[in-house]
Amino acid sequence: MYLKNVVSNPNIQIGDYTIYRDFVHDPKDFEKNNVIYMYPVNHDHLIIGRFCSIACGAKFLFTSGNHAMRSLSTYTFPIFFDEWNLDPKHITEAWDKKGDIIIGNDVWIGYEALIMSGVTIGDGAIIGARAVVTKDVPPYTIVAGVPAKPIRRRFNDEVIEKLQSAQWWNWEKERIEKNLDAIIHGRVDDLN
């Protein structure tokens, strides 16, 4: 299903044609089941580009899942400000703010992958099944493992540069249709 059609949270932006498949839960519950710890108080954003493919169980874990490491305790005292006589204005001190999650265009996120807050995944990247992505992923790089590490790049520098320059995912539908044979069969020099 096209994910854009079922997301309503204004802090989640999904590009056109991005798909999500879930055979465990109703894919319409993506926000509830896959976007974890995105509390309004933190003003986090999930931005996913166009033409991405997200497999069943992929999760996006936000700031509130990152208990404060600078504290002497990992306990989230600021959340319970009433009980501990703390100023409620400092509730966000319970977590280390890592930042938004930004997924480029044409990214494939494998089964049950976990993307941590503050991570940017470049265009054309592939995230292996059950990978835990804690660091940025360069464009057209395949990563896998816990924590996710680069396996290899999908293409050489010249092809990646041409793809980044062409940005076919931003073309009008008619232009994409005219270039589908070249896109599907990996002929970057035939894109026009």
Side-chain angles (χ1 to χ4, degrees), residues 45-124:
H45 292 89
L46 172 59
I47 301 167
I48 301 175
R50 301 178 81 188
F51 294 96
C52 293
S53 301
I54 304 171
C56 179
K59 304 248 190 276
F60 303 87
L61 193 140
F62 281 90
T63 290
S64 300
N66 296 304
H67 292 217
M69 298 283 285
R70 69 189 172 285
S71 173
L72 298 179
S73 172
T74 60
Y75 191 75
T76 54
F77 286 107
I79 294 173
F80 304 100
F81 52 85
D82 283 340
E83 185 173 350
W84 298 102
N85 298 312
L86 297 170
D87 187 341
K89 288 186 243 170
H90 301 292
I91 191 170
T92 59
E93 290 179 6
W95 313 287
D96 286 339
K97 179 119 174 105
K98 304 277 183 162
D100 299 334
I101 296 174
I102 301 171
I103 311 298
N105 301 283
D106 192 29
V107 172
W108 174 18
I109 300 175
Y111 177 77
E112 291 186 348
L114 176 62
I115 316 300
M116 302 296 286
S117 62
V119 166
T120 296
I121 297 174
D123 297 325

Side-chain angles (χ1 to χ4, degrees), residues 11-66:
N11 289 350
I12 302 174
Q13 299 170 32
I14 309 293
D16 293 335
Y17 306 105
T18 287
I19 57 175
Y20 176 65
R21 169 75 171 111
D22 197 320
F23 51 82
V24 177
H25 302 286
D26 186 340
K28 292 176 185 167
D29 292 332
F30 177 83
E31 286 179 62
K32 179 178 91 175
N33 295 324
N34 302 78
V35 182
I36 312 298
Y37 298 113
M38 185 187 241
Y39 298 147
V41 70
N42 291 314
H43 308 288
D44 293 320
H45 292 89
L46 172 59
I47 301 167
I48 301 175
R50 301 178 81 188
F51 294 96
C52 293
S53 301
I54 304 171
C56 179
K59 304 248 190 276
F60 303 87
L61 193 140
F62 281 90
T63 290
S64 300
N66 296 304

